[in-house]
Amino acid sequence: MNFEYSETQVMAAQTAKDFAEKYIRPHVMEWDEAQHFPVEVLKRAGELGLMGILVPETYGGSELSYHEYIAIIEEISKVDPSIGLSVAAHNSLCTNHILQFGSEEIKQKYLPKMATAEYIGAWGLTEHNTGSDAGGMSTTAVKEGDYYILNGAKNFITHAISCDVAVVIVRTGEKGDSHGMSAFVVEKGTPGFTSGKKENKLGMRASETAELIFDNCKVPVSNLLGEEGEGFIQSMKILDGGRISIGALSLGIAKGAYEAALKYSKERVQFGKAISKFQAIGFKLADMATEIEASELLLHKAAYLKNNGQKVTKIGAMSKMYSSEVCVKVANEAVQIHGGYGYSKEYPVEKFYRDAKLCTIGEGTTEIQKLVISREVLK
């Protein structure tokens, strides 16, 4: 078992790190406070191959593995989790859904533009009254000749306002029927397809979150992904990989918060010595470092399974659940180590603290991950 980063992983991580330092770090708090979504930065990421990480070269992508994918999301998230979230959502949800389930015609049409971020992607499953209970969705698609007519709304959607294309899962059958939902590609500018209000969030404020609204929106039958009735099943498979994404995001947050706390603990002097010399602080750092290490190992095991076409449902859920809970704990301890300064926006840990919580909620809450894991272990 080889725990060393491959040359490709090292290069991918360095590219992401250099990108984050140059184009993101100078603006982190400015974007956070203004709740500004920097589309231009995602375009720049596209130029570097960071928006089509998993897309084959034949479609203009980077064709990297999930190990590189984790490294890239982690490095960006260590600087600004908001941008890490946006890069992850574009890659693993919208783009990956088209890659995994689109016809060759759809792949040729959209993937080259998405891999370069000429098109920014959104992915819509959640609705106002259906979060964890996605099967109870109300948004519908009714077939009329060569079109499906979509009506309803999707909520808490990353890039809902700024996206150029969205993959949406809507009901084509009965509520609660796992084969009663279908997935469609919908382009912005399609009549009847608009965006709703932007959410004013606690954290991840530079990552745009809003509604997708469908009002008698006509979508060509050719934009159906796979067969009618396969949308929910497809979504569950996409979320298996998406959990690796949120795990990588969590890992980046945890490492960013830990590194800031470690640095501060060596510089802050109380009672005549650096606070890192006190056992209370040393033990906190030991716990943080250990749990980060465990998160990373779980994530790369999930990546190994995904890369090799093996079932990743259980380990993916474990890695997402554990990494997200660890990042919340680490961010909390980082604030505590900073004391009063941890509560100040002059130091980075207060933002990690605010951003971290989403990781235990988005793409399946901790409670849903436990449900998935328990079902798998009890089979």
Side-chain angles (χ1 to χ4, degrees):
M1 197 176 291
N2 183 6
F3 291 100
E4 293 295 320
Y5 262 32
S6 68
E7 185 178 345
T8 308
Q9 281 175 267
V10 171
M11 289 175 61
Q14 191 62 51
T15 298
K17 183 176 182 179
D18 292 344
F19 163 74
E21 291 294 335
K22 184 174 182 180
Y23 297 107
I24 300 174
R25 191 178 293 281
H27 308 287
V28 170
M29 292 312 296
E30 168 196 340
W31 293 340
D32 180 77
E33 293 184 0
Q35 206 166 194
H36 171 67
F37 174 51
V39 178
E40 68 283 357
V41 169
L42 295 197
K43 303 285 187 183
R44 179 75 68 176
E47 294 171 9
L48 296 172
L50 303 178
M51 298 296 276
I53 300 168
L54 303 168
V55 175
E57 291 180 359
T58 51
Y59 301 113
S62 299
E63 201 169 340
L64 297 173
S65 80
Y66 270 85
H67 292 301
E68 287 80 36
Y69 182 65
I70 290 170
I72 289 167
I73 300 301
E74 174 194 327
E75 287 296 338
I76 295 172
S77 303
K78 282 167 67 176
V79 175
D80 189 345
S82 298
I83 309 304
L85 174 63
S86 278
V87 173
H90 174 92
N91 274 282
S92 76
L93 297 178
C94 184
T95 304
N96 201 37
H97 201 137
I98 293 172
L99 175 63
Q100 295 300 318
F101 300 107
S103 64
E104 187 59 31
E105 180 185 355
I106 285 178
K107 289 178 186 177
Q108 293 283 359
K109 182 177 181 179
Y110 293 110
L111 289 179
K113 292 182 178 181
M114 300 193 76
T116 59
E118 180 182 343
Y119 279 5
I120 301 297
W123 191 78
L125 179 64
T126 299
E127 297 184 4
H128 290 272
N129 296 315
T130 57
S132 297
D133 180 20
M137 67 177 58
S138 298
T139 302
T140 58
V142 177
K143 191 174 182 182
E144 292 186 6
D146 295 330
Y147 292 89
Y148 282 88
I149 311 301
L150 276 60
N151 280 288
K154 296 291 177 178
N155 196 32
F156 296 135
I157 308 303
T158 304
H159 308 153
I161 297 169
S162 300
C163 71
D164 301 283
V165 63
V167 170
V168 295
I169 298 85
V170 298
R171 188 162 57 80
T172 48
E174 296 300 315
K175 276 193 178 185
D177 179 5
S178 62
H179 294 283
M181 290 159 276
S182 304
F184 296 89
V185 180
V186 189
E187 288 191 44
K188 269 297 177 70
T190 302
F193 181 31
T194 57
S195 302
K197 73 180 184 73
K198 184 176 181 178
E199 299 294 339
N200 186 10
K201 307 193 301 283
L202 167 73
M204 301 290 191
R205 290 171 59 80
S207 181
E208 177 185 279
T209 307
E211 295 174 301
L212 293 175
I213 299 170
F214 305 92
D215 182 10
N216 291 320
C217 176
K218 289 178 66 174
V219 178
V221 170
S222 58
N223 279 31
L224 176 67
L225 292 168
E227 300 296 325
E228 184 177 303
E230 293 181 348
F232 185 75
I233 308 302
Q234 292 174 5
S235 299
M236 294 305 102
K237 292 177 180 177
I238 292 300
L239 286 172
D240 275 350
R243 286 167 186 147
I244 298 174
S245 279
I246 300 300
L249 173 64
S250 302
L251 181 64
I253 293 172
K255 284 190 175 183
Y258 167 74
E259 289 170 9
L262 181 64
K263 180 176 182 289
Y264 181 82
S265 73
K266 292 177 178 179
E267 296 171 349
R268 174 69 165 170
V269 174
Q270 293 285 272
F271 305 103
K273 57 184 177 181
I275 62 171
S276 59
K277 300 294 184 183
F278 293 101
Q279 190 178 72
I281 303 299
F283 279 12
K284 285 184 187 296
L285 293 167
D287 285 341
M288 294 157 80
T290 302
E291 291 174 338
I292 288 170
E293 195 76 19
S295 296
E296 192 160 19
L297 289 169
L298 256 179
L299 279 165
H300 282 287
K301 181 172 182 179
Y304 172 84
L305 295 174
K306 190 72 175 167
N307 289 339
N308 287 279
Q310 298 180 44
K311 188 175 182 182
V312 73
T313 303
K314 182 180 76 173
I315 299 299
M318 286 178 170
S319 65
K320 193 273 185 187
M321 179 186 76
Y322 187 77
S323 299
S324 64
E325 291 292 340
V326 163
C327 88
V328 170
K329 181 179 176 182
V330 168
N332 181 59
E333 291 288 47
V335 170
Q336 194 70 15
I337 287 170
H338 277 71
Y341 292 110
Y343 213 65
S344 166
K345 290 182 183 291
E346 295 300 313
Y347 288 79
V349 291
E350 72 84 29
K351 184 175 183 299
F352 286 124
Y353 182 77
R354 288 186 289 109
D355 289 345
K357 188 57 193 170
L358 178 72
C359 297
T360 68
I361 299 168
E363 295 191 36
T365 62
T366 291
E367 292 73 21
I368 288 294
Q369 304 313 316
K370 289 182 179 181
L371 184 64
V372 171
I373 296 163
S374 64
R375 284 175 176 171
E376 289 296 311
V377 300
L378 290 169
K379 278 183 179 178

